[in-house]
Amino acid sequence: MKRLPANFLWGNSVSSMQTEGAWNEGGKGMSVYDIREPREFASDWKVATDSYHRYPEDFDLMKDLGMNCYRFQIAWSRVCPTGDGEFNDEGIAFYDRFINALIARGIEPMICLYHFDMPLALAETYNGFTDRRVMEAFIRYGQKMIDCFGDRVKWWLTFNEQNLYHMPDAFLISGYMRGERTLRELYQIQHHVMMAHVHLTRYLHDAQPTALMGGMLAHQLTYPATCKPQDIFCAQQFDEFTNQNLLRVFAGEGYSPEVLAVVEREGFTDIYQPADLALLTTTKCDYLAFSYYASRTLDSDAIPAGTAVNDYLSYGMKDNPFLKATEWNWQIDPLGFRTIITRYYNDWRLPVFPIENGIGVIEAWDGVNPVEDDYRIDYHRDHINAMKAAIFEDGAEVIGYLGWGLIDILSSQGDMRKRYGVVYVNRDNHDLKDLKRVPKKSYAWLKRAIHSNGEEM
């Protein structure tokens, strides 16, 4: 088996609301997640996995695994409690210690500035990113973080899975609290988010010329259900609106003409200030990042006439009969992983960085023996091998491979039953237990894979 380059980055990705806890400690302000109530299959977010107090233990596990990169989110409301007021020195000092602890263990920090947890004050006052004033507040916050940590942090992202702001999920993750969820509001959100990204990319390049800004998608790899031309056309449209449109901006080309044609037709041009559009074509990311868990299949017959392209998958998604699925019905497709990596590099000639990949499974620990998770070993082995094929057979330049939540964390819906980690965290949705960290069978496998730089799989 071929070894990956010596400088290849192996690591872990998490978000603060899914890990940190300490929701009312250290001067932190309220976020939209702090007011979410628990449900039968969802925890609240007040403790999460308590990484705020336990991160040294987690970092020691990462070091033992051989990880040399960690993507984490700064909680906006921890460093700026109201989102646009005074900064919180205690919150900034926490991340200062956090970053230094990573560096001391030989782990490169990667900062993501926003992973869905809008400061509650901005959500309540302005309805989140529908309002340009929230965009301006985010730019101010991001500039402050670059000033604080840019001397030690090379890898940066503005928004986690930025194309989700071009899809119906935008109303769940942008601080949106009231309204009719109109198409116009969706385009306001996506544009304000994109402009915040562009302004901070330019600021990072000016303030820290050796630091690198990435653009990140939750890549929507979507196959046509059949070879029927309408299925193929709808799948291509969906790809253009939810993937390629953002990639064009990340590569300095500006928005897709196809997307701007919809903007013109719908009467949304007032959202897009001329100075904004000019910035889009003079700003370029340094690398392309994405999350990938599963591919999807689109049936055009199920899409009602007049449906906005951004919403196609809400109606037309169907199961792919050629793929196996997890118990959450996420269809496992390692070849799709290779397809994305290869196409990114072919099309845009920017280094590619897959920074979320994993399998979520309901698991339980018996209190004695490691969780036997051979399915996770198979999943990561198959996806890493697909990535290696993209590198060694297709010629793609790949920076590294980060797994999602390799120490168990709350899922994106707050459901602790859905576990991604090679380390089990001993808590349930409503019983915190002792939060003990327990390596699973996959931990030993991943340790061998990382220490051999992908040679021993």
Side-chain angles (χ1 to χ4, degrees):
M1 297 291 290
K2 292 184 177 180
R3 292 178 66 90
L4 291 159
N7 62 347
F8 195 80
L9 296 180
W10 296 90
N12 189 14
S13 282
V14 300
S15 73
S16 66
M17 88 276 186
Q18 293 169 270
T19 58
E20 276 185 10
W23 69 285
N24 60 352
E25 297 182 44
K28 181 183 177 298
M30 296 281 281
S31 88
V32 293
Y33 278 86
D34 295 327
I35 62 172
R36 287 197 181 184
E37 296 293 332
R39 304 183 305 277
E40 181 182 3
F41 295 123
S43 170
D44 63 28
W45 303 86
K46 290 180 168 56
V47 175
T49 57
D50 195 31
S51 73
Y52 185 84
H53 300 106
R54 296 170 181 257
Y55 70 83
E57 177 185 359
D58 292 341
F59 291 177
D60 287 343
L61 286 165
M62 294 177 206
K63 181 180 178 181
D64 180 64
L65 274 166
M67 291 181 180
N68 56 4
C69 186
Y70 183 53
R71 178 180 74 117
F72 64 95
Q73 178 215 352
I74 290 176
W76 187 355
S77 61
R78 188 175 295 285
V79 297
C80 187
T82 65
D84 196 25
E86 294 296 320
F87 285 97
N88 174 28
D89 290 339
E90 190 173 353
I92 293 172
F94 166 74
Y95 289 112
D96 192 70
R97 296 190 299 272
F98 192 94
I99 289 167
N100 288 341
L102 286 168
I103 293 170
R105 291 167 173 80
I107 301 171
E108 289 230 30
M110 173 189 278
I111 287 178
C112 177
L113 292 170
Y114 187 78
H115 197 129
F116 313 156
D117 58 342
M118 175 72 64
L120 184 61
L122 293 180
E124 291 179 335
T125 304
Y126 301 115
N127 209 25
F129 278 110
T130 60
D131 195 304
R132 198 172 177 98
R133 286 169 290 188
V134 173
M135 176 196 86
E136 293 165 351
F138 182 80
I139 293 169
R140 173 178 175 265
Y141 147 67
Q143 289 173 342
K144 177 70 171 179
M145 295 303 98
I146 290 168
D147 292 344
C148 289
F149 307 124
D151 61 330
R152 283 160 290 161
V153 177
K154 175 181 179 180
W155 304 96
W156 291 80
L157 293 167
T158 50
F159 293 92
N160 180 70
E161 300 180 327
Q162 192 172 329
N163 57 333
L164 296 185
Y165 300 93
H166 295 232
M167 301 169 67
D169 282 349
F171 297 110
L172 303 176
I173 62 177
S174 64
Y176 186 93
M177 298 191 77
R178 58 191 175 273
E180 301 298 321
R181 300 190 175 193
T182 65
L183 188 63
R184 180 181 181 84
E185 288 175 315
L186 179 63
Y187 274 73
Q188 286 176 320
I189 291 168
Q190 71 86 12
H191 181 61
H192 294 156
V193 166
M194 181 58 82
M195 291 314 303
H197 164 80
V198 169
H199 279 282
L200 287 172
T201 299
R202 293 172 69 88
Y203 187 83
L204 180 71
H205 288 163
D206 290 341
Q208 298 289 342
T210 60
L212 302 175
M213 180 67 82
M216 182 192 176
L217 305 187
H219 193 93
Q220 306 295 303
L221 182 62
T222 304
Y223 303 124
T226 71
C227 58
K228 182 170 61 178
Q230 187 66 20
D231 282 352
I232 295 169
F233 179 71
C234 286
Q236 288 176 339
Q237 277 188 304
F238 186 72
D239 177 55
E240 186 62 38
F241 276 69
T242 62
N243 297 318
Q244 304 308 317
N245 181 47
L246 283 88
L247 292 169
R248 295 184 198 286
V249 178
F250 295 156
E253 293 186 356
Y255 289 130
S256 163
E258 189 175 350
V259 173
L260 290 178
V262 170
V263 169
E264 179 77 26
R265 186 166 66 247
E266 296 288 342
F268 299 159
T269 53
D270 60 298
I271 298 170
Y272 300 77
Q273 298 180 6
D276 292 349
L277 298 179
L279 278 178
L280 296 181
T281 58
T282 57
T283 308
K284 187 175 182 178
C285 287
D286 302 297
Y287 63 96
L288 299 176
F290 68 95
S291 65
Y292 177 79
Y293 300 90
S295 60
R296 296 162 179 84
T297 303
L298 190 64
D299 177 6
S300 63
D301 289 339
I303 302 171
T307 298
V309 175
N310 313 67
D311 209 18
Y312 276 3
L313 210 58
S314 300
Y315 299 96
M317 187 167 71
K318 67 178 296 183
D319 291 344
N320 188 330
F322 300 102
L323 295 174
K324 295 179 180 179
T326 71
E327 56 204 302
W328 305 96
N329 203 36
W330 288 25
Q331 296 199 273
I332 301 170
D333 183 9
L335 185 58
F337 193 49
R338 174 180 177 178
T339 298
I340 296 168
I341 294 169
T342 300
R343 185 177 178 192
Y344 274 25
Y345 196 66
N346 281 348
D347 287 356
W348 308 110
R349 302 297 198 276
L350 289 170
V352 183
F353 202 165
I355 61 173
E356 283 189 32
N357 180 236
I359 181 171
V361 180
I362 295 176
E363 294 172 325
W365 178 49
D366 65 7
V368 179
N369 301 298
V371 174
E372 296 278 339
D373 57 342
D374 292 276
Y375 43 81
R376 182 166 290 109
I377 295 171
D378 292 342
Y379 182 96
H380 282 289
R381 177 192 291 119
D382 291 346
H383 283 76
I384 292 170
N385 280 333
M387 174 188 68
K388 291 172 71 174
I391 296 169
F392 295 117
E393 298 180 35
D394 304 338
E397 180 183 345
V398 178
I399 295 168
Y401 174 88
L402 307 187
W404 173 250
L406 293 177
I407 296 173
D408 282 347
I409 62 177
L410 290 173
S411 77
S412 59
Q413 302 304 311
D415 190 349
M416 197 66 198
R417 297 178 306 154
K418 189 179 185 183
R419 296 174 180 269
Y420 287 88
V422 300
V423 176
Y424 188 90
V425 175
N426 191 35
R427 65 154 291 182
D428 294 332
N429 275 327
H430 308 299
D431 182 357
L432 293 177
K433 300 184 178 179
D434 60 5
L435 293 165
K436 183 177 180 179
R437 276 61 167 155
V438 185
K440 305 175 189 177
K441 181 179 181 181
S442 57
Y443 181 96
W445 172 83
L446 184 60
K447 183 175 179 177
R448 291 194 302 273
I450 293 176
H451 280 270
S452 68
N453 231 20
E455 185 175 24
E456 189 179 338
M457 298 285 290

